[in-house]
Amino acid sequence: AQSVTQLDSHVSVSEGTPVLLRCNYSSSYSPSLFWYVQHPNKGLQLLLKYTSAATLVKGINGFEAEFKKSETSFHLTKPSAHMSDAAEYFCVPTTSGTYKYIFGTGTRLKVLA
Amino acid sequence: NAGVTQTPKFQVLKTGQSMTLQCAQDMNHEYMSWYRQDPGMGLRLIHYSVGAGITDQGEVPNGYNVSRSTTEDFPLRLLSAAPSQTSVYFCASSRYRSAANEKLFFGSGTQLSVL
């Protein structure tokens, strides 16, 4: 069965500095991996997804994530944080044939002026 | 296209009352699901459906019923509301029945308070 760990429940960065949100997954099979973003009082929106093509995946708003099978990780990064990046971010692994998206507990990103 | 539409946006219930949260999608998606979101717990899957007439339980199904009589609609029923069901509820859909490789489209949520 899939499981996912988002290692930090809260991350604070200053505007203009790099962002790193960490995600580790466990799976017996090659996964697909998603990052979703939820801005305050909004629904969720897909940020990016990995589906066994290139290991470095680029998403919207300058975010990217690297799939590292040896580390079972799919960390989300952005070179320079913007105030509008303040949101909650969820990592979601799936496997072929699964009918259940199991979300991580989320990381709340705070961007300081 | 409207996408995924949830109603109502807000609801207050008394303990023991019943109600139905509505979810409709106009994208002809096979897969639909319900999540609840609680602080510090992320989104937890309540029930899901891979097509009309087919539903199954997620992580936290107790206290909730679902049915899928049409492709478009996937209502969530609370038969006897409890304070522990106070939460924000999201409906989500996806093109194909398998979750792999397909993104979820989310509704805007229903904020439910049970007193």
Side-chain angles (χ1 to χ4, degrees), chain B residues 79-98:
Chain B
L79 300 177
S80 178
S84 61
Q85 294 179 304
T86 294
S87 187
V88 180
Y89 291 84
F90 287 98
C91 179
S93 72
S94 182
R95 278 193 301 176
Y96 303 124
R97 53 179 55 195
S98 174

Side-chain angles (χ1 to χ4, degrees), chain A residues 31-32 34 49-52 94 101, chain B residues 95 98-103:
Chain A
S32 297
F34 299 76
K49 70 176 182 179
Y50 164 76
T51 56
S52 74
T94 70
Y101 283 88
Chain B
R95 278 193 301 176
S98 174
N101 301 336
E102 294 295 325
K103 76 173 192 178

Side-chain angles (χ1 to χ4, degrees), chain A residues 43-104:
Chain A
L44 282 83
Q45 176 185 17
L46 180 67
L47 200 57
L48 52 81
K49 70 176 182 179
Y50 164 76
T51 56
S52 74
T55 56
L56 184 63
V57 182
K58 294 188 184 299
I60 61 173
N61 300 333
F63 282 93
E64 61 183 35
E66 186 172 8
F67 173 68
K68 292 187 177 180
K69 187 174 182 178
S70 61
E71 299 175 11
T72 61
S73 69
F74 190 56
H75 301 334
L76 182 69
T77 60
K78 183 173 180 178
S80 176
H82 191 272
M83 297 298 289
S84 61
D85 296 327
E88 191 156 20
Y89 294 80
F90 295 94
C91 180
V92 186
T94 70
T95 53
S96 178
T98 187
Y99 301 125
K100 298 183 182 181
Y101 283 88
I102 302 300
F103 279 68

Side-chain angles (χ1 to χ4, degrees), chain B residues 14-97:
Chain B
K14 294 181 179 178
T15 297
Q17 286 185 315
S18 62
M19 80 158 297
T20 299
L21 307 186
Q22 302 290 346
C23 176
Q25 52 88 12
D26 61 0
M27 299 173 282
N28 201 32
H29 283 179
E30 290 189 323
Y31 183 91
M32 296 185 75
S33 55
W34 277 102
Y35 288 87
R36 59 177 290 172
Q37 184 176 25
D38 302 290
M41 305 190 77
L43 275 76
R44 292 181 291 168
L45 181 64
I46 304 172
H47 286 285
Y48 66 94
S49 168
V50 297
I54 307 170
T55 64
D56 204 349
Q57 296 180 349
E59 303 169 273
V60 289
N62 292 340
Y64 306 96
N65 280 356
V66 292
S67 60
R68 184 108 178 258
S69 56
T70 67
T71 299
E72 295 79 19
D73 300 300
F74 190 47
L76 179 72
R77 296 181 185 85
L78 283 70
L79 300 177
S80 178
S84 61
Q85 294 179 304
T86 294
S87 187
V88 180
Y89 291 84
F90 287 98
C91 179
S93 72
S94 182
R95 278 193 301 176
Y96 303 124
R97 53 179 55 195

